[in-house]
Amino acid sequence: MSSTRQETVSDRFDVSGVTPDGAAWLASAGTYPRSTLALWDERPDAPVVLPCGTAFDVVGAPAIFGRRMLDRLWDEGPGSGPVAAFRGRMLLFAAPGTAQRLPSLLHWEEFGRTGAIPPLLCHGTGDAVTVPAPMAAVGSATPSGCRWLVAPDTRRPWLPGPEILLWAAVRAARAAVRISIFPPADQDAKVYDVSRRR
């Protein structure tokens, strides 16, 4: 990329938090990174579809549960990699290979049967995801509904692996479950009004 083009891309991307290095990292996932960067140079507000499995995998969670996972990652854990929101789901960018390993770890934890963890969509090799535009300002809505919550800012961002996302999902599920020392009410029990007793 020429220095003139770099300055143009840099000027545009600084608004949203996606740096030129972050854009280059995203574009590196595709077959033709230069074409993706050229598209963003002409239309910095255009989301693109990029393949998973080489630069990153993506784990999609329902928005509320994904937010709980993100809170756990930042409040109690190591933080997160890039995170986007798209059509009511939170997209957590993860290390390549996560999409293949995470479902078996979740099954091993046996949370899949209890329903405490909602279905997580794991996108890896052979899958593709819609990536927000570099100019999609962090936290702001776009016509496509795709936006960055944590924008990529380096060529080699830290990405959580399957064990870290498992930990975050388990912690988020436990935080959502209310614990009571009282047994659940018996739904078939007969209730008598004793307030009129003599």
Side-chain angles (χ1 to χ4, degrees):
M1 189 185 298
S2 69
S3 62
T4 306
R5 178 180 226 135
Q6 178 99 11
E7 291 169 10
T8 304
V9 170
S10 175
D11 292 342
R12 290 182 182 178
F13 293 170
D14 284 345
V15 174
S16 70
V18 176
T19 65
D21 285 343
W25 170 72
L26 286 169
S28 74
T31 307
Y32 304 104
R34 287 183 178 174
S35 296
T36 302
L37 291 172
L39 170 68
W40 279 337
D41 195 31
E42 291 176 26
R43 295 190 51 219
D45 59 343
V48 298
V49 176
L50 292 175
C52 299
T54 54
F56 54 79
D57 281 0
V58 173
V59 175
I64 293 173
F65 189 79
R67 186 57 185 211
R68 288 184 189 137
M69 285 179 65
L70 192 57
D71 288 345
R72 294 297 163 271
L73 286 167
W74 283 103
D75 293 345
E76 303 168 18
S80 73
V83 180
F86 184 62
R87 294 187 179 171
R89 294 193 73 82
M90 188 86 66
L91 305 177
L92 296 117
F93 286 69
T98 298
Q100 181 181 0
R101 184 83 177 111
L102 184 59
S104 60
L105 289 175
L106 288 167
H107 180 72
W108 178 74
E109 281 288 331
E110 299 182 347
F111 275 90
R113 285 187 249 151
T114 64
I117 296 178
L120 301 179
L121 303 178
C122 298
H123 304 282
T125 303
D127 298 324
V129 294
T130 300
V131 175
M135 283 298 286
V138 175
S140 69
T142 63
S144 68
C146 195
R147 61 192 166 101
W148 288 109
L149 300 176
V150 179
D153 60 358
T154 67
R155 278 190 187 269
R156 298 186 191 277
W158 178 81
L159 299 171
E163 295 83 6
I164 292 172
L165 290 178
L166 171 70
W167 171 86
V170 169
R171 296 295 289 240
R174 287 182 183 163
V177 175
R178 293 185 182 179
I179 299 173
S180 174
I181 60 171
F182 301 105
D186 183 0
Q187 298 299 322
D188 296 327
K190 294 182 180 176
V191 178
Y192 300 97
D193 183 3
V194 294
S195 61
R196 296 184 189 178
R197 276 178 109 174
R198 295 185 189 186

